[in-house]
Amino acid sequence: MKKFIVLILTLVPFMTTAAIPEVDELGKRFQSNENVTVVTLGGEMLKAQLGSTENGYADSIEQLTVIASEHKKSSKELESEINKLLKGLKLEPTVNIENGGSKVKIYTVGSESVSDIIVYVIDGDDLAFINICGAIPADMINDVVNAISNIG
């Protein structure tokens, strides 16, 4: 996870508006916190990183937003706000993994065509909230999550 976040953080963000406005608002609230990193990449930047894909899922991704912290106090504050956001959106995790102190939750918005994939990871003091937006066919969700996690 850290390799992925470090790579994303080194890129110059191409700012757009999140498909879920509350995610955009969350990013704006934490942007000024020096212990939280907020990066938003538009579809063209992502396509350049992913290259062409055999099944075309790269063309389905319009935006990637990453909100991350490795600072204990900031992570706890961010965790509280993310939990409020997810509760307000009435989203339930489609995947929930707990292993030791690590927790990974994946949420999807939509069924046949997924408009958002949210990956929420907590590992000790490290926290990452990733929102992948687009018109992603449900059968490509695994491919998209794997490709995003292997950028670099």
Side-chain angles (χ1 to χ4, degrees):
M1 179 180 85
K2 285 185 180 185
K3 177 184 172 192
F4 167 68
I5 292 173
V6 168
L7 174 66
I8 292 296
L9 301 179
T10 61
L11 298 172
V12 177
F14 176 20
M15 302 303 287
T16 58
T17 302
I20 301 175
E22 292 86 350
V23 172
D24 194 38
E25 292 168 18
L26 180 68
K28 287 178 182 176
R29 281 199 313 267
F30 281 90
Q31 217 167 6
S32 62
N33 184 324
E34 66 183 35
N35 297 310
V36 175
T37 303
V38 179
V39 177
T40 301
L41 299 175
E44 294 305 315
M45 179 70 80
L46 285 170
K47 288 175 191 155
Q49 289 297 312
L50 294 172
S52 62
T53 57
E54 186 176 305
N55 55 10
Y57 62 81
D59 294 331
S60 302
I61 304 170
E62 297 171 6
Q63 179 178 311
L64 172 73
T65 300
V66 178
I67 305 172
S69 178
E70 295 179 348
H71 183 264
K72 185 175 185 172
K73 183 178 177 186
S74 296
S75 290
K76 289 295 180 192
E77 183 182 345
L78 186 56
E79 179 181 7
S80 174
E81 291 299 314
I82 290 170
N83 289 336
K84 286 179 197 174
L85 179 145
L86 293 171
K87 187 175 181 179
L89 293 173
K90 298 181 179 158
L91 296 178
E92 293 293 325
T94 53
V95 176
N96 191 6
I97 302 168
E98 291 192 32
N99 185 6
S102 301
K103 297 178 187 178
V104 177
K105 295 181 182 184
I106 300 177
Y107 301 81
T108 56
V109 177
S111 55
E112 294 296 316
S113 180
V114 175
S115 63
D116 289 87
I117 301 170
I118 295 172
V119 181
Y120 181 26
V121 181
I122 300 172
D123 185 12
D125 293 338
D126 297 350
L127 180 145
F129 179 86
I130 303 165
N131 183 212
I132 306 164
C133 306
I136 305 159
D139 61 343
M140 291 187 189
I141 291 173
N142 282 341
D143 293 337
V144 170
V145 172
N146 288 333
I148 294 296
S149 66
N150 289 321
I151 290 178

